[in-house]
Amino acid sequence: MTKPLRLLAGGVGAALLLSACMGGTSDDGKDSAAGYDPAATVELTWWTGQTEEAEKVAEGLAAEYHAAHPNVTIKTSPGAPTTDDLLTKLSAGFAGGSYPDISYAYGNWAGDLGASGKTQDLTSYVQDPSFKWTEMPEAARTVATADGKVIGVPALVDNLAVIYNKAIFDKAGVGYPTDDWTWDDFRAAAKKLTDPATKTYGTAYSVSGSEDTTWHLWPLLWQNGGKILDGTKPAFNSDAGVKALETLRGMAVDDKSMYLDQTDEKYHPLFNSGRVAMIITGPWALLEIKEAKLSYGVSNLPGVNGDHQTVSGPDLWVLFDHDDANRAGAARDFIKWLTSAQTDAKWNLAVGNLPLRSSEQSTPEFAAYVKEYPGGQKFFDNLANAKQARPTVPGYEVLSRNVGDAIASVLQGKASPKDALDAAAQKSADAVVN
């Protein structure tokens, strides 16, 4: 599974390096694959961004495609030591003229990649009825679109929900979370489930300042009626944003019911070892929870006035332009095949991820997935609650780091929500101006 690596948000340094490379060759609206000859001999470079297990699956699929299309050879590799490192490597490749035809990318990189001038414009291509674009969740399609242009195809879809340890709830005599819970319900349960004597916490939160810190705030912001941006102006420091962060601050500072993870990497193992009762996380956590043999349940996020919006963190296959119609066309055809319902069942479901397409719910592979990973159906259904997407604008990476630092400061009792968010908005203003 690749998903634990998703918690390593792309670094600001990489985003700044990428911005320095912007202004390269752009397609200026032209079709990169115009004049594509499907019979031409082509070699494609595919950076998968996968860990060893999933990389082997990717290599097998590339070989399967080559067997059906002998004129297309696909050079497959992870592309970098970790998924996080791909952005830096792509940035350097843009500067040096050496970059792949297809690369895995975190969705929060979309704005910067789209502004690089190196991506294919897939806007018309994905609208062809044969692509079945609308089978993919709306939030994922939105993330694949930067500055009005589709630059890639969703590679992975997910969302945040509550996973809870039934044994801790039973021991404390607390009722399990339901899909109707409010944040007050969540806070009250977290307080009851916290036991300083056994160092057991009701819940947990990352305070590393990474995207893992930031994107956990966005559902609360949206549920309270707030926005991340108003046009290109930071808007997360509204009354809705302050209320959202105050909800978390109360648990962390006043109740001390929230374990604060300085690294992103400790709260999942603590949950798996029975030291945290509830975590807000995604379907990528199910494999390790299964291996830990926990009795667990999954519920939708707590809500505000009946609004249980979640956030999805779709990742992408971004296609790059090399001014070669045959490479561009072959890359499109391969990704269309890879993300088809038939092939995706061999890819995402095989490595423990949610399916990309709604039509996959009726496949034997999905039935096997939900049997192997209890809670998988709940995460699939929760995609309907992913009604908004993180902005795909250049500079989101910088904004995310500023917000993450603000959240970390507040949850550690060093600042008030309003002061911290106001400072983050001021710091982020220039980064997201187009």
Side-chain angles (χ1 to χ4, degrees):
M1 290 182 68
T2 63
K3 210 55 185 168
L5 289 178
R6 133 168 286 295
L7 302 181
L8 304 173
V12 172
L16 293 176
L17 174 60
L18 184 57
S19 67
C21 301
M22 292 175 188
T25 57
S26 171
D27 58 26
D28 295 323
K30 70 179 174 62
D31 186 344
S32 306
Y36 163 49
D37 175 7
T41 300
V42 172
E43 181 177 272
L44 302 178
T45 299
W46 179 26
W47 289 357
T48 67
Q50 305 298 310
T51 54
E52 185 176 355
E53 176 189 352
E55 170 64 20
K56 290 177 181 176
V57 179
E59 290 171 3
L61 290 171
E64 182 179 335
Y65 184 85
H66 175 67
H69 306 80
N71 58 306
V72 180
T73 301
I74 302 173
K75 292 174 59 180
T76 304
S77 74
T82 71
T83 314
D84 191 59
D85 293 326
L86 281 174
L87 186 61
T88 302
K89 192 166 180 184
L90 285 168
S91 304
F94 294 157
S98 176
Y99 51 94
D101 297 277
I102 305 161
S103 179
Y104 196 85
Y106 290 144
N108 53 308
W109 300 346
D112 288 312
L113 290 174
S116 71
K118 303 294 186 183
T119 57
Q120 287 199 49
D121 184 350
L122 307 176
T123 310
S124 297
Y125 183 72
V126 299
Q127 295 303 325
D128 187 287
S130 67
F131 199 94
K132 300 180 180 177
W133 183 235
T134 56
E135 285 189 351
M136 297 181 178
E138 183 177 359
R141 288 181 273 131
T142 300
V143 168
T145 306
D147 195 23
K149 182 174 76 172
V150 178
I151 64 166
V153 176
L156 179 148
V157 296
D158 60 16
N159 58 83
L160 293 180
V162 176
I163 302 183
Y164 56 93
N165 184 321
K166 291 183 177 180
I168 299 177
F169 275 78
D170 292 344
K171 184 178 179 180
V174 177
Y176 298 152
T178 73
D179 291 342
D180 297 322
W181 262 22
T182 65
W183 284 99
D184 286 342
D185 294 328
F186 184 90
R187 178 178 178 179
K191 191 171 183 179
K192 291 177 184 175
L193 294 161
T194 298
D195 185 352
T198 59
K199 296 183 179 178
T200 302
Y201 289 85
T203 189
Y205 203 97
S206 162
V207 290
S208 71
S210 73
E211 178 67 10
D212 192 38
T213 303
T214 302
W215 79 316
H216 279 74
L217 179 69
W218 297 147
L220 266 163
L221 172 73
W222 294 330
Q223 290 175 11
N224 279 286
K227 298 188 290 187
I228 300 172
L229 294 175
D230 184 1
T232 59
K233 180 182 176 183
F236 53 77
N237 59 325
S238 61
D239 290 346
V242 171
K243 185 177 179 182
L245 187 48
E246 174 58 30
T247 299
L248 300 175
R249 189 207 66 80
M251 287 184 270
V253 179
D254 296 342
D255 301 347
K256 295 182 171 50
S257 62
M258 179 181 280
Y259 172 78
L260 300 179
D261 182 357
Q262 305 285 337
T263 67
D264 291 346
E265 297 175 6
K266 293 180 180 177
Y267 69 102
H268 282 86
L270 281 173
F271 177 82
N272 296 341
S273 64
R275 298 276 297 282
V276 174
M278 303 179 285
I279 55 172
I280 292 174
T281 188
W284 62 87
L286 296 179
L287 175 61
E288 290 184 351
I289 292 172
K290 176 191 170 188
E291 291 172 346
K293 296 181 170 57
L294 290 185
S295 176
Y296 69 93
V298 179
S299 69
N300 291 345
L301 289 186
V304 176
N305 297 325
D307 184 344
H308 295 271
Q309 280 189 74
T310 187
V311 61
S312 181
D315 295 335
L316 305 173
W317 298 121
V318 177
L319 277 64
F320 297 101
D321 185 10
H322 291 270
D323 292 320
D324 183 325
N326 292 328
R327 287 174 70 178
R332 292 183 182 194
D333 189 73
F334 171 67
I335 289 300
K336 180 181 179 181
W337 174 83
L338 182 69
T339 60
S340 67
Q342 182 179 10
T343 310
D344 186 61
K346 304 175 188 176
W347 169 242
N348 272 311
L349 289 173
V351 297
N353 296 325
L354 292 179
L356 285 178
R357 295 177 178 271
S358 56
S359 58
E360 291 177 66
Q361 185 167 203
S362 60
T363 63
E365 289 87 353
F366 184 77
Y369 167 79
V370 297
K371 184 177 180 181
E372 184 172 2
Y373 300 103
Q377 181 74 54
K378 173 63 74 174
F379 277 109
F380 183 79
D381 295 342
N382 197 38
L383 286 167
N385 288 317
K387 298 175 181 177
Q388 300 188 59
R390 293 173 296 175
T392 53
V393 297
Y396 175 80
E397 282 287 297
V398 177
L399 177 150
S400 171
R401 174 59 66 175
N402 290 335
V403 174
D405 288 344
I407 296 168
S409 179
V410 169
L411 298 192
Q412 294 175 96
K414 299 176 182 176
S416 73
K418 178 166 176 52
D419 288 347
L421 290 177
D422 281 347
Q426 186 174 3
K427 281 192 250 180
S428 303
D430 291 340
V432 292
V433 172
N434 288 324

